[in-house]
Amino acid sequence: MGSVQQRLERFLYSPGPIGDLLARLEARTGVQRLYLATGSLAFLGLYLMFGYGASLLCNVIGFVYPAYLSIKAIESNSKEDDTMWLTYWVVYGVFSIAEFFSDLFLYWFPFYYAGKCLFLVWCMAPVPWNGSQLIYHSIIRPFFLKHHRAVDNMMGDIGTKALDAASSVTREGIKAPLNLTELVQKAK
């Protein structure tokens, strides 16, 4: 257990947004960082279980931090961080679509938003057993490799139909004012 506490304290004292915020709070309040962090996490957990707006808070946690690190990844020269955050966003998107259809039933379960938040944190965690990497490589990638040709064909067909519909609407849109002009001239 000592190694977990040491790693946690190393994280809390490391420079970065969380470490800097905790340093300022520690200087102002005189309360140790470890207590500030555990108290904040306990409050956050309780709020996600019982608080009003837990859905919004959970979605903010699952979006803001990854979006910030995604922007940093775009601006860096490394490809690895780009791949890591693209993988997160693919998993986040698939999860969001699945949640859309199941949310009607799931949000009635106690502690749903706390569980969802833990899932999203696991998906963005910088650990070897990162959730988005595991889910992508074990579920999404095999499904994609099996079905991508059929989806590409379907998307091509939809694109062709959309282009035809847009051309048709444009032709009809041009004809309508001309027909109106003819009607006005005949009425005179």
Side-chain angles (χ1 to χ4, degrees):
M1 187 71 178
S3 70
V4 172
Q5 184 176 357
Q6 289 171 347
R7 287 175 41 200
L8 176 62
E9 287 183 6
R10 224 181 7 253
F11 172 73
L12 296 176
Y13 283 90
S14 66
I18 295 173
D20 296 345
L21 174 66
L22 288 172
R24 286 193 303 263
L25 288 172
E26 184 178 36
R28 279 191 175 167
T29 64
V31 178
Q32 292 180 13
R33 291 180 194 200
L34 181 61
Y35 297 135
L36 288 169
T38 53
S40 298
L41 285 175
F43 175 77
L44 180 65
L46 288 170
Y47 190 84
L48 284 169
M49 287 187 251
F50 305 112
Y52 179 75
S55 172
L56 176 64
L57 178 62
C58 186
N59 287 329
V60 165
I61 290 169
F63 180 81
V64 172
Y65 181 72
Y68 172 73
L69 289 179
S70 296
I71 293 169
K72 286 183 74 169
I74 291 168
E75 296 302 321
S76 77
N77 292 329
S78 173
K79 179 189 178 308
E80 288 79 29
D81 55 358
D82 296 353
T83 303
M84 184 180 103
W85 289 109
L86 277 172
T87 304
Y88 172 82
W89 290 114
V90 167
V91 171
Y92 183 86
V94 169
F95 176 74
S96 294
I97 290 170
E99 183 186 37
F100 174 79
F101 293 106
S102 62
D103 194 38
L104 181 64
F105 305 108
L106 290 178
Y107 82 95
W108 286 98
F109 285 100
F111 316 129
Y112 168 68
Y113 292 113
K116 176 183 172 183
C117 190
L118 286 174
F119 170 76
L120 292 174
V121 168
W122 173 57
C123 284
M124 69 177 90
V127 293
W129 39 273
N130 175 287
S132 58
Q133 297 295 323
L134 290 173
I135 291 169
Y136 177 78
H137 288 292
S138 62
I139 299 170
I140 297 172
R141 185 172 187 268
F143 183 84
F144 171 78
L145 292 175
K146 184 176 180 181
H147 299 288
H148 77 92
R149 284 191 180 84
V151 173
D152 287 347
N153 291 337
M154 183 179 66
M155 294 303 278
D157 292 344
I158 289 172
T160 302
K161 289 178 183 177
L163 213 60
D164 292 344
S167 297
S168 179
V169 167
T170 303
R171 277 193 303 272
E172 295 301 319
I174 291 172
K175 284 183 185 177
L178 294 176
N179 290 341
L180 184 61
T181 305
E182 290 174 13
L183 287 174
V184 169
Q185 288 176 353
K186 286 182 184 179
K188 290 183 181 179

